[in-house]
Amino acid sequence: LLADLLREVPFHVAVHGNNHAMDFGESGLRFQQSALQRLGLASCGSGLSIDEASKPAYVRMGSLTVAIISFSCVRPKTIGATESKAGVFLIHDPADIAQKLKSIIWEAKIKAHLVIVSPHWNENWESTPRQSIRQQAHILIEMGCDAILGHSSHLLQGIVVYQGNLILYDI
């Protein structure tokens, strides 16, 4: 039923680097991946290993290739993928975001015209992004990201244009 709805809406990628991606365990993740694949939707942010979970999704939008990178900094910390365990691309400490994404962004910049980062990085009900989040967003833009579409707090946290690039701290 939900898959039928997704067919009707022009989505191109599913971002699931978040604290609910593993609610139904590895079998739920496998089912989700299979359903998205059947629908022709790219996905990123979780996977059967850390290599898969941290891999960007690449989608064609007309003549452009767009890379989307998804990760989570929000609990529970047990949902993180490892080399041998399915899970989310989890970055435990927001201060490590730029360092953990450096090589991923570099590779995405080679393969895509635009790089969008979609972090699940604010605690619930925070009305403004923490200073560490704002700093990391600026560093990500400086590293070459074209836009940041954050989520997690359940509140809009503002829109900023930094060095000509869009930062939505929480959508």
Side-chain angles (χ1 to χ4, degrees):
L1 192 54
L2 181 57
D4 293 332
L5 176 64
L6 288 174
R7 258 189 221 107
E8 300 298 321
V9 182
F11 288 117
H12 301 282
V13 64
V15 175
H16 35 91
N18 65 67
N19 59 312
H20 291 290
M22 295 302 293
D23 284 357
F24 297 97
E26 184 176 331
S27 63
L29 178 62
R30 285 180 186 275
F31 178 82
Q32 172 183 272
Q33 287 179 328
S34 175
L36 292 172
Q37 198 168 39
R38 281 194 310 275
L39 291 169
L41 288 173
S43 64
C44 58
S46 66
L48 301 179
S49 69
I50 187 60
D51 288 337
E52 188 177 303
S54 62
K55 194 170 290 192
Y58 293 93
V59 294
R60 294 286 298 171
M61 304 294 291
S63 63
L64 298 178
T65 299
V66 180
I68 299 96
I69 301 166
S70 174
F71 66 91
S72 180
C73 290
V74 179
R75 62 186 180 285
K77 303 298 185 189
T78 57
I79 63 171
T82 66
E83 288 185 23
S84 60
K85 182 182 117 194
V88 171
F89 180 24
L90 187 64
I91 300 174
H92 293 283
D93 185 348
D96 294 336
I97 292 170
Q99 183 270 330
K100 297 278 186 183
L101 293 184
K102 186 176 184 177
S103 64
I104 298 168
I105 291 169
W106 181 79
E107 181 180 321
K109 291 296 284 182
I110 292 170
K111 294 180 178 181
H113 299 96
L114 297 171
V115 176
I116 298 171
V117 174
S118 184
H120 196 72
W121 61 0
N122 290 300
E123 294 296 330
N124 290 348
W125 312 116
E126 288 184 352
S127 60
T128 58
R130 288 174 271 145
Q131 180 62 28
S132 62
I133 297 294
R134 290 193 298 270
Q135 289 172 335
Q136 292 298 304
H138 288 185
I139 293 169
L140 290 173
I141 296 294
E142 292 163 3
M143 288 169 51
C145 292
D146 298 290
I148 297 172
L149 305 176
H151 44 89
S152 181
S153 78
H154 306 285
L155 297 171
L156 294 174
Q157 291 187 334
I159 299 170
V160 174
V161 175
Y162 179 73
Q163 295 186 351
N165 297 309
L166 190 63
I167 300 171
L168 288 92
Y169 287 108
D170 201 297
I171 56 173

